[in-house]
Amino acid sequence: MRLCSLSASASILALASLVFADATSDVISLTAKNFEESVSTEPLMLVEFFAPWCGHCKALAPHYEEAATALKEKNIKLAKVDCVEEGELCQNKGVQGYPTLKVYKNGESTDYNGPRKADGIISYMVKQSLPAVSEVTAANHDQFKTEDKVVVVAYLPSTTSEPAPVFSAAAEKHRDDYLFGLTTDETLAEAAGVKPPAIVVYRSFDEPQTEFPYPISGLKAEEITDWVKELAIPVIDEVSGENYAVYAGSSKPLAYLFVDPTSEDKDAHIDAIRPIAKKYKSQMNFVWIDAIKFGDHGRALNLAQTNWPSFVVQDLAKQLKYPLDQNKELTPELAEAWVEQYLAGKLEPSLKSEPVPEFQDESVYVLVGKNFEEAVFDDSLDVFVEFYATWCGHCKRLKPIWDSLGDKYAPIKDKLRIAKFEATENDLPTSVPFRIQGFPTLKFKPAGSKEFVDYEGDRSLESLIEFIEANAKNSLELPETPVDEPAPVVADEEAPQTPVSVPPATETEITHEEL
């Protein structure tokens, strides 16, 4: 979740007084005076803790308003707290960033983990208002099936019939994700075209009704959720920040179709890929993506050109990328052949690398994609690597310390290599048994080994040295540095000796911001 900083300058605080509530808003404004009474008397309420200057809060505002209006009909209230005006209240509620959203049920709060768009907020809060498994009757059956994008209904002879207990367990675990209902009405099962016991998924996309394909006696909760998760992913859909987690949580590779959304042929390109996506859905997820808005993501997937449409497959688990040659015209036949080759293990991943440095004249060794294996897997060397991103603030603060570490061990470069790897400009070779998830990441490879030890201590020079001493296999004895004897001072008899005044040493205060 992206959060704005809690700190704000005095000038920004002054602007808060210019922000007025919209009298027509369906979002309730809460203060310290009415907060506890408001949340404790409502069975369900969503509260946003915000700051008027926060960009993410401003982006959320119209979606929050739209959701408040839609949920008003269901008697689900949305509220907000201005944390500039109500700083003490927000602090007492544990707010550490903006916007923070919390779900209150009769005064008890839990973190809101749903989407930030109107339809997602509505869907999430409707699920919160219902029991984990809702009773489905003749009166609500048709409406219930369309209440959300994915609705799961169990048609059973009785509420205790198998697999009611495991169905309830699956519903309780995933109540925030999908709607679950149960009916014992035989006429509803007959109308649905199923014979109890049966479980059916209703969707607002692709095939609207799908029945669990195997006998459900002895079914486990995990089998239900795995099946529903599979059906919850469309054959091909637009991917964005709102739904990327769905794909990231899947074990399947992800195929991207990058398209220009302003192109007249956009829909034709997507429709051309759809039959391929349907054919290989059991093995791979397919999405289309706005190539203009997410151009940086295309470059991260090693699409070097701005030729759209373009096609790339990514192994999410190993973070390996397989872009189709952008110099070739993208056709359905070419895309399908690329998918088949990937699934057959016949494609080599595209590995991005900066040029290998011509000279290694720094005390910290510069690693790139092309020299990583040779420089790190040298059995004669202990190797300590910083994986960083140039734009990362934490990495910038670590740099002088890491340079000092390199300087300290520069005399024994033949035994210990202090190295750095710009992980956004270079891909790790497939032989490396890990992928980088955050910056900076520090890993140590002992001499004679291909295993890596994670560094998890603080980033002080002393702690880094202590870690090296605990894990290095080679001797870390440094050569003695000769100390030059001071030359004798000979007074110049012709010139009087003037004492030199030396100012006293002063300490420099280092603030937390500088750290």
Side-chain angles (χ1 to χ4, degrees):
M1 180 172 64
R2 290 154 45 171
L3 301 174
C4 292
S5 169
L6 279 174
S7 61
S9 67
S11 61
I12 292 177
L13 289 172
L15 290 175
S17 62
L18 300 178
V19 179
F20 298 93
D22 184 348
T24 63
S25 173
D26 288 316
V27 178
I28 302 167
S29 292
L30 299 180
T31 66
K33 293 181 179 180
N34 66 358
F35 186 91
E36 295 301 337
E37 181 182 0
S38 298
V39 300
S40 62
T41 56
E42 290 295 330
L44 179 64
M45 178 183 280
L46 178 62
V47 179
E48 176 201 7
F49 298 87
F50 76 101
W53 48 262
C54 166
H56 298 307
C57 303
K58 292 176 183 177
L60 173 63
H63 297 281
Y64 203 69
E65 289 283 353
E66 183 182 341
T69 300
L71 290 169
K72 187 177 180 180
E73 301 174 358
K74 299 180 181 295
N75 200 31
I76 300 173
K77 295 179 180 178
L78 269 60
K80 62 184 179 182
V81 177
D82 183 336
C83 289
V84 172
E85 295 291 338
E86 303 290 338
E88 185 176 352
L89 172 61
C90 294
Q91 185 176 3
N92 291 339
K93 297 304 176 185
V95 176
Q96 297 182 347
Y98 306 126
T100 291
L101 288 92
K102 292 179 179 288
V103 176
Y104 284 84
K105 293 184 177 181
N106 299 309
E108 297 295 323
S109 71
T110 56
D111 291 335
Y112 173 87
N113 297 310
R116 300 297 181 89
K117 297 293 178 65
D119 58 347
I121 296 171
I122 295 166
S123 172
Y124 188 94
M125 293 306 294
V126 166
K127 297 187 189 81
Q128 292 292 318
S129 71
L130 299 173
V133 179
S134 298
E135 181 183 4
V136 179
T137 65
N140 69 359
H141 181 254
D142 290 342
Q143 181 180 352
F144 188 80
K145 293 189 302 182
T146 61
E147 283 284 354
D148 203 12
K149 291 182 178 179
V150 177
V151 178
V152 191
V153 179
Y155 297 88
L156 303 179
S158 72
T159 56
T160 58
S161 300
E162 192 179 6
V166 294
F167 184 78
S168 296
E172 192 63 48
K173 186 174 182 180
H174 293 279
R175 61 179 299 151
D176 293 346
D177 304 315
Y178 320 112
L179 280 183
F180 291 82
L182 187 151
T183 182
T184 58
D185 189 328
E186 293 183 3
T187 60
L188 294 182
E190 185 178 351
V194 298
K195 183 178 180 180
I199 301 175
V200 176
V201 166
Y202 296 97
R203 298 183 291 177
S204 62
F205 55 88
D206 296 343
E207 296 295 330
Q209 178 176 334
T210 306
E211 182 180 354
F212 193 83
Y214 307 110
I216 61 177
S217 58
L219 199 61
K220 297 179 180 178
E222 293 78 10
E223 293 175 298
I224 297 174
T225 56
D226 288 346
W227 174 65
V228 176
K229 281 182 179 179
E230 173 70 17
L231 291 174
I233 299 178
V235 169
I236 185 168
D237 193 16
E238 181 180 10
V239 67
S240 65
E242 287 293 306
N243 63 354
Y244 179 76
V246 174
Y247 297 98
S250 172
S251 60
K252 298 178 186 178
L254 185 58
Y256 293 86
L257 174 67
F258 279 79
V259 294
D260 181 348
T262 65
S263 169
E264 295 180 356
D265 299 330
K266 184 202 78 173
D267 291 337
H269 291 308
I270 297 170
D271 290 340
I273 294 296
R274 193 178 302 278
I276 304 168
K278 189 172 183 178
K279 180 178 179 180
Y280 296 97
K281 188 178 187 304
S282 63
Q283 299 167 278
M284 183 180 293
N285 292 321
F286 288 75
V287 295
W288 68 269
I289 186 169
D290 183 334
I292 308 304
K293 184 177 181 180
F294 296 107
D296 286 344
H297 191 60
R299 287 186 286 275
L301 293 171
N302 296 352
L303 293 175
Q305 303 175 35
T306 55
N307 292 348
W308 317 121
S310 292
F311 190 77
V312 55
V313 176
Q314 183 183 20
D315 182 332
L316 291 169
K318 297 180 180 179
Q319 291 297 306
L320 297 176
K321 308 129 186 183
Y322 301 82
L324 203 158
D325 188 349
Q326 289 184 283
N327 293 314
K328 297 179 180 179
E329 180 183 358
L330 180 61
T331 64
E333 294 77 18
L334 193 60
E336 182 170 5
W338 196 249
V339 169
E340 287 181 345
Q341 290 179 67
Y342 171 84
L343 294 173
K346 295 179 180 179
L347 295 183
E348 289 294 325
S350 167
L351 298 178
K352 180 168 55 177
S353 177
E354 295 177 300
V356 176
E358 187 175 353
F359 302 103
Q360 293 283 358
D361 48 9
E362 299 179 17
S363 61
V364 175
Y365 194 95
V366 179
L367 296 170
V368 296
K370 291 179 179 178
N371 71 356
F372 189 93
E373 290 177 304
E374 177 185 358
V376 174
F377 291 132
D378 185 332
D379 283 343
S380 68
L381 292 174
D382 290 299
V383 185
F384 200 8
V385 184
E386 176 202 6
F387 298 89
Y388 73 100
T390 303
W391 48 260
C392 166
H394 297 299
C395 304
K396 292 176 182 178
R397 288 190 284 274
L398 177 61
K399 185 181 186 307
I401 299 171
W402 199 254
D403 288 342
S404 296
L405 191 69
D407 293 341
K408 175 178 176 61
Y409 292 109
I412 55 171
K413 283 184 176 181
D414 58 332
K415 296 184 179 68
L416 171 63
R417 174 168 287 161
I418 306 299
K420 60 184 179 182
F421 184 85
E422 218 294 3
T424 64
E425 297 297 330
N426 299 275
D427 288 330
L428 287 169
T430 56
S431 59
V432 178
F434 58 82
R435 288 298 175 264
I436 302 303
Q437 302 297 328
F439 306 114
T441 293
L442 309 179
K443 290 182 178 284
F444 189 90
K445 196 279 308 179
S449 172
K450 286 184 169 53
E451 301 294 323
F452 289 82
V453 181
D454 291 331
Y455 178 80
E456 297 176 346
D458 67 70
R459 294 171 190 153
S460 67
L461 181 61
E462 294 76 13
S463 296
L464 293 168
I465 292 171
E466 184 178 344
F467 177 80
I468 290 174
E469 291 175 346
N471 289 279
K473 299 300 181 183
N474 290 327
S475 169
L476 299 177
E477 184 177 354
L478 297 169
E480 292 186 8
T481 303
V483 180
D484 295 333
E485 291 292 331
V489 177
V490 179
D492 186 344
E493 294 180 357
E494 297 181 0
Q497 301 300 300
T498 304
V500 179
S501 176
V502 180
T506 59
E507 293 184 1
T508 303
E509 181 182 358
I510 301 177
T511 66
H512 288 293
E513 286 76 19
E514 290 171 326
L515 291 173

